[in-house]
Amino acid sequence: MSNTFKPFNNNFKGKSFISIDQLTKVSEIEKIFKVARQMEKIVLKKKPSNLLNGYCVAELFYQPSTRTFTSFLAAAEWLGALTIPIHGMSSYSSAVKGETIEDTVRTIYQTTAADLIVMRHPDNDSTEIAAKYSYVPVISAGAGTKEHPTQAILDLYTIEKELGRTNNLKVIFLGDLKYGRTIKSLGKLLVLMDKKLQLYLVSPKILKMPEDLVKTWRSQGVKIVETDNLQEVLPEADVLYATRVQKEWFEKEGKLDQYEKVKHAFDINLNTLKKAKKKMIIMHPLPRVGEIAYEVDNDPRAVYLPQMRAGLYTRMALMKLILLGDK
Amino acid sequence: MSNTFKPFNNNFKGKSFISIDQLTKVSEIEKIFKVARQMEKIVLKKKPSNLLNGYCVAELFYQPSTRTFTSFLAAAEWLGALTIPIHGMSSYSSAVKGETIEDTVRTIYQTTAADLIVMRHPDNDSTEIAAKYSYVPVISAGAGTKEHPTQAILDLYTIEKELGRTNNLKVIFLGDLKYGRTIKSLGKLLVLMDKKLQLYLVSPKILKMPEDLVKTWRSQGVKIVETDNLQEVLPEADVLYATRVQKEWFEKEGKLDQYEKVKHAFDINLNTLKKAKKKMIIMHPLPRVGEIAYEVDNDPRAVYLPQMRAGLYTRMALMKLILLGDK
Amino acid sequence: MSNTFKPFNNNFKGKSFISIDQLTKVSEIEKIFKVARQMEKIVLKKKPSNLLNGYCVAELFYQPSTRTFTSFLAAAEWLGALTIPIHGMSSYSSAVKGETIEDTVRTIYQTTAADLIVMRHPDNDSTEIAAKYSYVPVISAGAGTKEHPTQAILDLYTIEKELGRTNNLKVIFLGDLKYGRTIKSLGKLLVLMDKKLQLYLVSPKILKMPEDLVKTWRSQGVKIVETDNLQEVLPEADVLYATRVQKEWFEKEGKLDQYEKVKHAFDINLNTLKKAKKKMIIMHPLPRVGEIAYEVDNDPRAVYLPQMRAGLYTRMALMKLILLGDK
């Protein structure tokens, strides 16, 4: 975490949210989840709220995105905010003329009277720079390969909703554990909630979770098994969190032979799942490109579709807490 | 029509609208038009409705479009719905990463709690796939060269509004009758409304209406004249529906000599119109690129500009009927 | 000014605004500013207005823009209008298919029932054509290199707000005075407000203000000094309006040697500003690409960031005056 962004310390009001490391207390997660459950009622009853009437939320996206862009836009609308949604910042904004993030983020505040800026950008330090210069809070909707903090929160919310708990869990992280940002952030939150977490890190050898993170978690008490054999650990798991294994990484490292050996080891289909518990849940950040077969969609364990709805509720909760605080 | 999409059977509620073939009864058209007339009042009195308060309409466009995109967006807004308008799905969505329509349509429902999805896509079967997988109704805003069902409805609404009837009509379809989707769909609706329809199919020989459709209509009782001479049939017509004749098709079929002969035969200007009835109406789906001269715009017979307004009213009506039913 | 667009004559209702030359009376500026101050209260109290409930504002942008696009969108939203914001008209609209501005502007009215169209386009005569054909008023959000009338108004509003007056001023226009449209329009407004204006035109020799404009202003009584030495005139100035000097123009005219001599003469940093008055204000239309150092941002004389907020208030005022008149 940057020096400029301190932990929330149970107080979200007026603060930017650009790193999962700003969350350091269980009570903070509980607070977000409590509000998210209220938000769920607003949406399911189809009664848009007026909580954010008179507030203005600007959404600046410099990268393609369906689910995150629409989720934040819908979140602001369900809460009654004015919205300034700008997709394609890279093509249509003054970024084309060379404007810096520092200036863009202050510009948008001035031109719209925005109270909150949601930003997605391909650079790792983009949302941190934005938050530093912005007059109003910034929520990261993804920054390069580094942070996508609201994704981790919706993932954890899904686990709690589906399994009724966020502790006493056995969790498989499957696939690309080296480059994937999702499972690292979720890992941090799971460890925050329960030091006695059991983690199964299942990946091809060249896509293993970085050593330092494994070491840190072990030193905190987490039990960790690293393997490239999904079937070996599947029967124990409460959560199977799948991510995409991309051929490109093998090519890049000149190890296409390894890819040939493992490429089917990480496929999820009804056959793969035979040994899994009946109450296990299957998660995925989506989009998928073949790694989970369509036939799995109707399996009661598949929660990767409703998982996205959790993004709507938790992002509404964060907007509420950041703009209005606890009142 | 696909096996998955059955006729409306006078009940629109909760159903997708992806093919003109779903409309099989005169009473269905009358129902849409009755609601459209109510919608017209909402707009003309400048009193946005709250009929769709608490409903969320997502608009996913994979192709350039001004009139259809803005028309659906305005329709949802005049009815008080939350709106998630995404232009440029091909550039900004996860389609870039290879996500399928099957997943995109379910994703948007989850991320936004959308109650209705409006989709335009270059593939013929796109909106059918969308409707099959979607949890909520889908309205086609155009699918490849095959279907654009709401266009046919707005066209018919224009005829009824301008001429006061949808039967006892003599109608010219002019221009590209082979590839154009608009006149085929409108033709189907006209036949539905009145089997005694008189059709004049005016086109260059290589762009004639497909034989099977002509045969079907004849078998239903429709009187059809096929010709490449507009002036021959113009004096009889109540409706002149013009479409663009594209040079490309002649080039493609190696018949540019034919093009040279006919290229001016399908131009509409004040001179062309001399023999037409005073009460005839001139329609065109727009955009035009030269086939109707600007000087025609001020002729009282020209209705191709107000024709587009009918799209707003009829799309509002369809949204209302699909989301709320008859109540 | 075109023949088709007459002066406002103190009455904005129902009129297009496409040229700064439509403003010919001090009382017109005072009227806009009075309403803009009311708009300021609406935004600062965070109480969105319902003044434009039932009105629909369409925004058609054919060029990249962050500040102008978001400013107009926010203006319409703060006033309670329905909004149809279309960024990327060049990629996503029927312009791709060759549709003319004449047809597009009438199409949008028909498809949405828009009451006002805001347009930005790369062609100099684009918004004039739009206004001529449109059924409803058009506001220019920038047309080629020729007009950007709302920019001049927000600039003047900023001067009045920061200095408390729009007369008895000594104003520096700095940088590219040949191609820049901003300072020419602002110049016209300043002359309208006070014939005794003192102007310092500071630019490299090849980027001087066009002779005819200088001549016209002198004939109206304006005192004008032309120089390429900023420090010479800086101590006198009440307003320093900076614009970008682009290396390209020197290259184009084969005078890169001149560029080398002047390139730092127009940089603004804390050192440059040493001799300036404490009450002088520093303006810039932004985006900047290096011509004002970040260290200046915190200087109390820097107003180029709040200057953009003036765009929100004055555009709200113009929308109100054009749609509702004086009531």
Side-chain angles (χ1 to χ4, degrees):
Chain A
M1 188 176 50
S2 129
N3 294 327
T4 49
F5 295 97
K6 307 244 165 54
F8 282 117
N9 248 325
N10 269 315
N11 180 9
F12 295 91
K13 193 168 177 189
K15 294 186 184 157
S16 289
F17 183 25
I18 57 159
S19 170
I20 202 68
D21 295 333
Q22 292 173 260
L23 293 161
T24 59
K25 296 176 199 298
V26 172
S27 56
E28 289 163 354
I29 302 295
E30 285 167 348
K31 190 180 278 194
I32 295 169
F33 285 9
K34 188 180 162 195
V35 179
R37 282 186 289 264
Q38 295 161 1
M39 298 297 141
E40 195 162 344
K41 277 177 207 156
I42 288 171
V43 174
L44 295 180
K45 285 184 183 168
K46 309 198 82 44
K47 297 271 182 206
S49 163
N50 56 14
L51 264 175
L52 296 190
N53 274 184
Y55 290 83
C56 179
V57 176
E59 226 189 331
L60 311 180
F61 271 53
Y62 292 79
Q63 283 186 306
S65 162
T66 315
R67 70 208 74 245
T68 311
F69 186 81
T70 55
S71 173
F72 272 109
L73 177 55
E77 291 192 19
W78 281 103
L79 286 170
L82 302 180
T83 58
I84 307 288
I86 311 287
H87 227 166
M89 281 291 288
S90 336
S91 323
Y92 297 129
S93 81
S94 295
V96 178
K97 305 179 195 160
E99 188 173 66
T100 60
I101 291 174
E102 290 88 328
D103 274 9
T104 297
V105 83
R106 291 183 293 177
T107 289
I108 295 297
Y109 165 76
Q110 296 290 2
T111 58
T112 64
D115 299 283
L116 179 68
I117 291 172
V118 177
M119 180 183 279
R120 185 193 197 93
H121 195 284
D123 294 347
N124 280 357
D125 57 354
S126 53
T127 55
E128 195 173 326
I129 292 171
K132 193 173 164 190
Y133 279 83
S134 177
Y135 305 121
V136 295
V138 171
I139 297 181
S140 171
T145 58
K146 197 178 158 198
E147 288 274 5
H148 189 7
T150 60
Q151 176 74 41
I153 288 175
L154 77 89
D155 287 342
L156 189 68
Y157 187 79
T158 300
I159 292 172
E160 207 221 31
K161 186 174 169 123
E162 298 291 340
L163 297 177
R165 67 184 196 279
T166 56
N167 59 6
N168 193 22
L169 290 169
K170 296 178 176 176
V171 177
I172 297 173
F173 288 161
L174 177 73
D176 173 4
L177 309 188
K178 185 171 179 182
Y179 300 101
R181 65 187 172 188
T182 313
I183 30 78
K184 281 168 210 144
S185 297
L186 176 57
K188 288 177 182 180
L189 285 192
L190 285 167
V191 174
L192 172 64
M193 301 310 283
D194 181 15
K195 301 287 175 291
K196 284 178 282 178
L197 175 71
Q198 168 73 60
L199 271 187
Y200 304 108
L201 305 178
V202 184
S203 70
K205 286 201 173 64
I206 68 159
L207 292 177
K208 283 176 72 176
M209 181 75 76
E211 266 310 306
D212 57 338
L213 200 50
V214 174
K215 219 167 160 180
T216 304
W217 285 341
R218 280 199 169 121
S219 77
Q220 292 174 303
V222 180
K223 284 159 282 172
I224 297 181
V225 173
E226 294 188 90
T227 175
D228 59 4
N229 186 339
L230 173 61
Q231 293 304 325
E232 190 179 291
V233 298
L234 186 62
E236 302 297 320
D238 302 304
V239 176
L240 169 59
Y241 198 110
T243 65
R244 192 149 32 113
V245 174
Q246 293 172 283
K247 202 178 170 180
E248 300 95 273
W249 298 122
F250 291 86
E251 282 177 326
K252 231 175 208 166
E253 310 217 2
K255 298 185 173 168
L256 266 178
D257 54 321
Q258 277 194 31
Y259 179 74
E260 289 307 313
K261 280 189 216 153
V262 301
K263 67 179 176 186
H264 292 304
F266 306 97
D267 282 3
I268 306 288
N269 52 45
L270 289 179
N271 194 44
T272 317
L273 291 168
K274 273 187 182 156
K275 294 189 195 164
K277 285 188 199 169
K278 289 216 162 158
K279 293 213 153 184
M280 186 190 75
I281 59 174
I282 307 161
M283 300 177 74
H284 191 292
L286 302 185
R288 57 178 159 179
V289 188
E291 61 271 25
I292 300 183
Y294 278 113
E295 63 180 22
V296 181
D297 295 1
N298 295 319
D299 189 293
R301 292 169 291 192
V303 304
Y304 40 83
L305 291 166
Q307 181 183 347
M308 292 184 290
R309 178 61 66 86
L312 178 59
Y313 306 143
T314 51
R315 284 165 183 140
M316 290 171 74
L318 286 165
M319 285 181 182
K320 189 267 172 193
L321 285 165
I322 286 172
L323 287 172
L324 304 180
D326 294 328
K327 72 174 178 190
Chain B
M1 188 177 48
S2 130
N3 294 326
T4 48
F5 296 98
K6 306 241 166 54
F8 282 120
N9 247 325
N10 269 315
N11 180 9
F12 295 91
K13 193 170 179 189
K15 296 188 183 156
S16 289
F17 183 25
I18 58 159
S19 171
I20 202 69
D21 295 332
Q22 292 174 261
L23 292 161
T24 59
K25 296 176 198 298
V26 172
S27 56
E28 289 162 354
I29 302 295
E30 284 168 350
K31 190 180 277 194
I32 295 169
F33 285 7
K34 187 180 162 195
V35 179
R37 281 186 288 265
Q38 295 161 3
M39 298 297 142
E40 194 162 343
K41 278 178 205 153
I42 288 171
V43 174
L44 295 180
K45 285 185 183 166
K46 310 199 78 47
K47 297 271 183 207
S49 162
N50 56 15
L51 265 175
L52 294 190
N53 275 184
Y55 289 82
C56 179
V57 176
E59 225 190 330
L60 310 180
F61 271 52
Y62 292 79
Q63 282 185 307
S65 162
T66 316
R67 70 208 74 247
T68 312
F69 186 81
T70 56
S71 173
F72 272 109
L73 177 55
E77 291 192 21
W78 281 103
L79 286 170
L82 302 181
T83 58
I84 307 288
I86 310 288
H87 226 167
M89 282 292 287
S90 335
S91 324
Y92 298 128
S93 81
S94 295
V96 179
K97 305 179 196 161
E99 187 172 67
T100 59
I101 291 174
E102 289 88 328
D103 274 9
T104 297
V105 82
R106 292 183 292 177
T107 289
I108 294 297
Y109 165 77
Q110 296 290 1
T111 58
T112 66
D115 298 283
L116 179 66
I117 290 172
V118 177
M119 181 182 279
R120 184 194 197 90
H121 195 285
D123 294 348
N124 280 357
D125 57 354
S126 53
T127 56
E128 194 172 328
I129 293 172
K132 191 172 166 190
Y133 280 83
S134 177
Y135 305 121
V136 295
V138 171
I139 297 181
S140 170
T145 58
K146 199 178 156 198
E147 288 274 4
H148 189 7
T150 60
Q151 176 74 40
I153 289 175
L154 77 88
D155 286 342
L156 190 68
Y157 187 78
T158 301
I159 292 172
E160 206 221 29
K161 188 177 167 116
E162 299 291 341
L163 297 177
R165 66 185 196 275
T166 57
N167 60 6
N168 193 23
L169 289 171
K170 297 177 177 178
V171 177
I172 297 172
F173 287 161
L174 177 71
D176 173 5
L177 308 187
K178 184 170 183 183
Y179 300 101
R181 65 187 172 189
T182 312
I183 31 79
K184 281 168 210 141
S185 298
L186 175 58
K188 289 178 181 178
L189 285 193
L190 284 167
V191 174
L192 172 63
M193 300 311 284
D194 180 15
K195 299 288 176 290
K196 284 177 282 178
L197 175 70
Q198 167 75 57
L199 271 186
Y200 304 107
L201 304 178
V202 184
S203 70
K205 289 205 170 62
I206 68 162
L207 292 177
K208 283 176 72 177
M209 181 75 76
E211 267 310 307
D212 57 338
L213 201 49
V214 175
K215 219 168 161 179
T216 305
W217 285 341
R218 280 200 170 121
S219 77
Q220 291 175 304
V222 180
K223 284 158 284 172
I224 297 182
V225 172
E226 294 187 88
T227 176
D228 58 5
N229 186 340
L230 173 61
Q231 293 305 325
E232 189 180 293
V233 297
L234 186 61
E236 302 298 320
D238 302 304
V239 176
L240 168 59
Y241 198 111
T243 66
R244 192 148 32 112
V245 173
Q246 293 171 284
K247 200 177 171 180
E248 302 94 273
W249 298 122
F250 292 84
E251 282 177 326
K252 232 174 205 167
E253 310 217 2
K255 298 185 175 168
L256 265 179
D257 53 322
Q258 279 194 29
Y259 178 73
E260 290 307 312
K261 280 187 220 154
V262 301
K263 69 180 174 186
H264 292 304
F266 306 98
D267 282 3
I268 306 288
N269 52 47
L270 289 180
N271 194 43
T272 316
L273 293 167
K274 273 186 183 157
K275 295 188 195 162
K277 284 189 201 169
K278 288 214 162 159
K279 291 213 154 182
M280 185 190 76
I281 57 174
I282 308 159
M283 301 177 72
H284 190 292
L286 302 188
R288 58 177 157 178
V289 188
E291 61 272 24
I292 301 183
Y294 278 112
E295 63 180 22
V296 181
D297 296 1
N298 295 318
D299 189 292
R301 291 169 291 192
V303 304
Y304 39 84
L305 291 165
Q307 183 182 347
M308 293 185 289
R309 178 60 67 84
L312 176 59
Y313 306 144
T314 51
R315 284 165 184 141
M316 289 171 73
L318 286 165
M319 287 182 181
K320 189 267 172 193
L321 285 166
I322 287 173
L323 287 171
L324 304 180
D326 293 328
K327 76 174 174 188
Chain C
M1 187 176 51
S2 128
N3 294 327
T4 49
F5 294 98
K6 305 241 166 53
F8 282 119
N9 248 325
N10 270 315
N11 180 10
F12 295 91
K13 192 166 179 190
K15 295 188 183 156
S16 289
F17 183 24
I18 58 157
S19 170
I20 202 68
D21 295 332
Q22 293 174 260
L23 293 161
T24 58
K25 295 176 199 296
V26 172
S27 56
E28 289 162 355
I29 302 295
E30 283 168 352
K31 190 180 276 193
I32 296 169
F33 285 8
K34 188 180 161 194
V35 179
R37 283 186 288 265
Q38 295 161 1
M39 297 297 143
E40 194 162 344
K41 278 178 204 154
I42 288 171
V43 173
L44 295 180
K45 284 184 182 168
K46 309 197 80 47
K47 296 274 183 205
S49 163
N50 57 14
L51 265 175
L52 295 190
N53 274 184
Y55 289 83
C56 179
V57 176
E59 227 191 329
L60 311 180
F61 271 53
Y62 292 80
Q63 281 185 306
S65 162
T66 316
R67 73 206 73 245
T68 311
F69 186 81
T70 56
S71 173
F72 272 109
L73 177 55
E77 292 193 20
W78 280 103
L79 286 170
L82 303 181
T83 59
I84 306 289
I86 310 289
H87 227 167
M89 282 291 288
S90 337
S91 324
Y92 298 128
S93 81
S94 294
V96 178
K97 305 178 196 159
E99 187 173 66
T100 60
I101 291 174
E102 288 89 329
D103 274 9
T104 298
V105 82
R106 291 183 293 177
T107 290
I108 295 297
Y109 165 77
Q110 295 291 2
T111 58
T112 65
D115 299 282
L116 179 67
I117 291 173
V118 178
M119 181 183 280
R120 184 194 197 92
H121 195 284
D123 295 346
N124 280 358
D125 57 354
S126 53
T127 55
E128 194 173 325
I129 293 171
K132 191 173 164 189
Y133 280 83
S134 178
Y135 305 121
V136 296
V138 171
I139 298 181
S140 170
T145 57
K146 198 176 156 199
E147 288 275 4
H148 189 7
T150 60
Q151 176 75 38
I153 289 175
L154 77 88
D155 287 342
L156 189 68
Y157 187 78
T158 300
I159 291 171
E160 205 221 30
K161 187 176 169 123
E162 299 291 340
L163 297 177
R165 67 184 195 279
T166 57
N167 60 6
N168 192 22
L169 289 170
K170 296 178 177 176
V171 177
I172 296 172
F173 287 161
L174 177 73
D176 174 4
L177 308 188
K178 184 170 180 183
Y179 299 101
R181 65 186 171 190
T182 314
I183 31 78
K184 281 167 211 145
S185 298
L186 176 57
K188 288 177 183 180
L189 285 192
L190 285 168
V191 174
L192 173 63
M193 301 311 282
D194 180 16
K195 300 287 176 291
K196 284 177 282 178
L197 174 71
Q198 167 74 59
L199 271 187
Y200 303 108
L201 304 178
V202 184
S203 71
K205 287 204 174 62
I206 68 160
L207 292 176
K208 282 175 74 175
M209 181 75 76
E211 267 310 306
D212 58 337
L213 201 49
V214 174
K215 219 167 159 180
T216 305
W217 285 341
R218 279 199 171 122
S219 76
Q220 292 174 301
V222 179
K223 283 159 284 173
I224 297 183
V225 173
E226 294 188 88
T227 175
D228 60 2
N229 185 340
L230 173 61
Q231 292 306 323
E232 191 179 290
V233 297
L234 186 62
E236 302 299 320
D238 301 305
V239 175
L240 169 58
Y241 199 110
T243 67
R244 192 148 32 111
V245 173
Q246 291 171 286
K247 200 177 171 180
E248 302 95 274
W249 297 123
F250 291 86
E251 282 177 326
K252 231 173 207 170
E253 310 217 1
K255 299 186 175 167
L256 266 178
D257 53 322
Q258 278 193 31
Y259 179 73
E260 288 308 311
K261 279 187 218 154
V262 302
K263 69 179 174 186
H264 292 303
F266 306 97
D267 282 3
I268 306 288
N269 53 45
L270 289 180
N271 194 44
T272 316
L273 293 167
K274 270 185 184 158
K275 293 191 196 161
K277 284 189 200 168
K278 288 216 160 154
K279 290 213 155 181
M280 187 191 75
I281 58 173
I282 307 161
M283 301 177 72
H284 189 293
L286 301 186
R288 58 177 159 181
V289 188
E291 61 273 23
I292 300 183
Y294 277 112
E295 63 180 22
V296 180
D297 295 1
N298 295 318
D299 188 293
R301 290 169 293 192
V303 304
Y304 39 84
L305 292 165
Q307 181 183 347
M308 293 184 290
R309 177 61 67 85
L312 177 59
Y313 305 144
T314 51
R315 284 164 184 142
M316 290 170 74
L318 285 165
M319 286 182 182
K320 189 265 171 194
L321 285 166
I322 287 173
L323 288 171
L324 304 180
D326 294 327
K327 74 175 177 190

